[in-house]
Amino acid sequence: MFRLSSAPLDPAALARSLDDPRAGALATFEGRVRNHNEGQPVLALDYEAYAALAEKEGTRILEEARAKFAILHAVCVHRIGALAIGDLAVWIGAAAAHRDAAFAACRYIIDETKARVPVWKKEHYATGASAWINCATRPPADGASTTPSAPPAPPAP
């Protein structure tokens, strides 16, 4: 299951959703809002997404993870909206019979989500400035940009 959420995430409930008596391993990843980026103090973030495409691509990534790794279940939930320092921005869990598959799938899901899912992050700095930040973390094999562009500006009033 991949989904976007405007509400705070509950890691314990998300982990319980992966309970399976066949699973001997549950690997999780929690991405949290940090108070700095590239030397600038950050006070808060806003996440925006192209929801229909984000959920379609996120679902595709989970299907790929199930095909590539011997996992039983996987979940990825990404926050949207205004987040404060320390807030949970993304939660990923992968359940498998053995830890190697769970760890590998969890890593694959976060890397692919950051590279391919159209979610944009706006940082708000201590200086009062703000900026849209590139969420992609790796270049594609062909050298082309995989970074989703910033969301379009809202129409003029």
Side-chain angles (χ1 to χ4, degrees), residues 89-113:
V90 61
W91 189 92
I92 296 170
H98 302 286
R99 68 181 179 273
D100 287 346
F103 280 129
C106 198
R107 178 63 187 249
Y108 178 82
I109 293 166
I110 187 60
D111 287 349
E112 294 302 312
T113 296

Side-chain angles (χ1 to χ4, degrees), residues 85-132:
I85 301 303
D87 281 354
L88 185 55
V90 61
W91 189 92
I92 296 170
H98 302 286
R99 68 181 179 273
D100 287 346
F103 280 129
C106 198
R107 178 63 187 249
Y108 178 82
I109 293 166
I110 187 60
D111 287 349
E112 294 302 312
T113 296
K114 290 188 69 115
R116 296 167 38 194
V117 174
V119 173
W120 300 276
K121 176 171 63 174
K122 186 176 188 178
E123 291 183 340
H124 300 278
Y125 304 109
T127 62
S130 61
W132 289 99

Side-chain angles (χ1 to χ4, degrees), residues 120 132-133 147-153:
W120 300 276
W132 289 99
I133 300 299
T147 304
S149 59

Side-chain angles (χ1 to χ4, degrees), residues 45-68:
L45 294 179
D46 292 320
Y47 281 104
E48 292 188 18
Y50 177 8
L53 183 57
E55 291 178 355
K56 182 177 179 180
E57 190 66 14
T59 298
R60 182 177 298 134
I61 291 166
L62 294 177
E63 290 169 358
E64 290 169 4
R66 281 189 283 276
K68 290 176 75 80

Side-chain angles (χ1 to χ4, degrees), residues 14-109:
L14 290 166
R16 280 192 304 274
S17 75
L18 294 171
D19 283 348
D20 187 312
R22 299 171 295 167
L26 172 63
T28 64
F29 171 80
E30 295 184 358
R32 295 185 177 270
V33 177
R34 65 177 177 265
N35 69 354
H36 65 280
N37 187 34
E38 297 187 3
Q40 293 197 68
V42 174
L43 301 178
L45 294 179
D46 292 320
Y47 281 104
E48 292 188 18
Y50 177 8
L53 183 57
E55 291 178 355
K56 182 177 179 180
E57 190 66 14
T59 298
R60 182 177 298 134
I61 291 166
L62 294 177
E63 290 169 358
E64 290 169 4
R66 281 189 283 276
K68 290 176 75 80
F69 308 101
I71 59 173
L72 299 166
H73 311 287
V75 169
C76 179
V77 184
H78 202 298
R79 284 288 311 274
I80 53 173
L83 279 73
I85 301 303
D87 281 354
L88 185 55
V90 61
W91 189 92
I92 296 170
H98 302 286
R99 68 181 179 273
D100 287 346
F103 280 129
C106 198
R107 178 63 187 249
Y108 178 82
I109 293 166

